[in-house]
Amino acid sequence: MLGSPDQAVPLSDVNEETGDAFTVDFQDGVNIQDDTSKQPSSALYYTSDGGTPVAHPYEYQRIGSDGPLLLQDVHLTELFGAFDRERIPERVVHAKGAGAHGYFEVTNADFVKQYTMMDVFSENGLRTPITMRFSTVGGESGSADEARDPRGFAMKFRTRKGIWDLVMNNTPVFFIRDATKFPHFIHTQKRNPQTHLKDRDMFWDYLSSNPESLYQVMRLFSDLGTPYGFTHMNGWTGHTYRWIKEDGSWVYVKLYAESMQGIRNFTNAEATVIQGQNPDFATQNLYESIENGTYPGWTLYAQVMTPSEAETFKYNVLDLTKDWSPEDVPRTEIGKFYLTQNPRNYFAEIEQAAFSPARMVEGWGPSADPVLQARLFSYSDTHRYRLGVNFMQIPVNCPFAPVANFERDGAMNVLGNQGSRPNYLSSFDPIKLAKRPYVDETHQQWTGGAVSSLSTVTEIDFSWPRIFWASLSETDQTNFIGNVVGHLGQAKSEYVKRRQVALFAHVDAQLGQAIADGLGVPVDSISFPGYDTPTWTNHTVTAVGSTVDY
């Protein structure tokens, strides 16, 4: 009981010397505020943050008709104190985005149960509530939805066994495979530290210095780089993960989401117009699709590879710059998901949504992919900075499963701070320990010492760029050349232009020549180690430039 006026204890019932037992359930206040947030303004009175009525939101206290304002006007100071703190730090990457809620439904439990103990896939027809957030990568929170950029494709599954975050992109690969390059890469995609402008020389200097980025660069500068909103694009895990069974056996797995709406893209000219006319085009398109009952959906597929198959596979399965083609590794449908509910409040449900690949459930584990290993820390850590250490207590992030551990206190701890239970492993009130789901030592074995690691660019890094270029129609190839010439042509450095042109020419001679002609630069010849050269070595190799031997 809160002890509100209509619940007050009669004075005649109170022992004046000792008082009677009286307890407060602080969750009552939380519940009241949650209920109040769902009411229309017409049903409520204007109040202060403490819940006391205030006569008028525009009034303020001053001396006379022309005197200074009064510090005692706590309504005024509270108003500005809150207003001054409305903005939280935006995401360093994926700052501009939109999202919604819906459900995932299993369609092929028999297939999945061959490889993993994940409860979320345990029975056909099982529905799991999800939250999704789509985003651009490089732009600020106020940037245009239709900028040429990869798109984030993040999913939060509220499973019966805890939160599972699937943090994907709308592309099967990425620009890097060495984790430490990520901050450097992102710096070059943002703003020049002196001019505070987007800088084409920075942009292309990095990409031309790191040829392993080329497949992602080619996808980006095709019309796939400007998708029609968020619902006409597919999603990929990119990283290789592991499915694990109760006996500890495991396989490598990648997941792929195929849009039921079909693939649709803007040309560069169309995207440029949309950016000026409606920079929030994708956000509006997603919201209105759900609002009018046209619920967007995707079909989820899995690609599975055994550890022994991975040892002889044509590509290193830990390399984020390489795809698994369906011809090499077949895709099998495992479920479908739909977005059916718009957020009631964007900030509460989308801006505060925190996705991290570290949020895993039993039966799902990371591979040794270096970029994934770094993301396991970085994503959760950015949410601790952006939202606070207790970000998992925010309703949109809160599990639909009990949380009991020894993490306590910290800013904005609002769910009871785990009550009066001991905050250590106590013998007086011992916490129950779950059965270990599988034996860790059967997972992966490594040999070797601590190696300072950096990948080597070889001929195999041009395999997927050549496959992609050959897959484009004549129109798409023409658009690609125009998109690159228009963007790279704004760089001032001829050296950067020639270095990037040389990479395109190494993919296809005619492609390189067409871009060189558009830029007015010659085509230089370059070479790389052969296919038999490993991407990473088990000994330290010192690189002079951005990559080994380049």
Side-chain angles (χ1 to χ4, degrees), residues 262-388:
I263 298 301
R264 183 177 177 185
N265 302 305
F266 286 117
T267 64
N268 188 65
E270 292 168 338
T272 301
V273 172
I274 288 292
Q275 289 177 55
Q277 292 181 342
N278 184 4
D280 302 313
F281 172 84
T283 301
Q284 180 178 348
N285 179 260
L286 174 64
Y287 187 92
E288 291 180 350
S289 294
I290 297 172
E291 188 76 2
N292 65 27
T294 309
Y295 303 133
W298 288 261
T299 303
L300 190 65
Y301 295 86
Q303 293 175 287
V304 173
M305 187 185 301
T306 67
S308 58
E309 290 171 334
E311 290 177 2
T312 59
F313 191 53
K314 63 177 68 175
Y315 306 118
N316 189 318
V317 299
L318 307 180
D319 184 349
L320 183 56
T321 68
K322 303 294 182 293
D323 193 7
W324 298 358
S325 74
E327 293 76 25
D328 291 328
V329 188
R331 294 170 177 162
T332 302
E333 179 185 323
I334 58 175
K336 298 179 184 295
F337 56 93
Y338 302 87
L339 296 179
T340 60
Q341 178 184 340
N342 278 317
R344 181 182 293 110
N345 183 280
Y346 175 87
F347 181 87
E349 301 172 40
I350 305 302
E351 184 63 23
Q352 291 191 126
F355 302 88
S356 171
R359 197 57 58 195
M360 296 177 281
V361 292
E362 293 178 353
W364 179 263
S367 72
D369 174 341
V371 181
L372 173 58
Q373 292 280 313
R375 291 177 83 200
L376 294 175
F377 166 75
S378 182
Y379 273 60
S380 294
D381 196 52
T382 197
H383 299 314
R384 295 183 191 103
Y385 160 70
R386 201 173 64 87
L387 302 170

Side-chain angles (χ1 to χ4, degrees), residues 42 72 88 113 134 196 271 288 304 337 341 348 394 397-398 405 419 427 439 441 481 487 493 514 527 541 544 546:
S42 59
Q72 73 175 28
I88 63 174
K113 287 190 291 185
F134 307 97
H196 198 58
E288 291 180 350
V304 173
F337 56 93
Q341 178 184 340
I394 298 172
N397 300 320
C398 203
N405 54 40
S427 62
V439 181
E441 60 259 29
I481 293 169
H487 195 279
S493 170
S527 63
V541 177
V544 177
S546 296

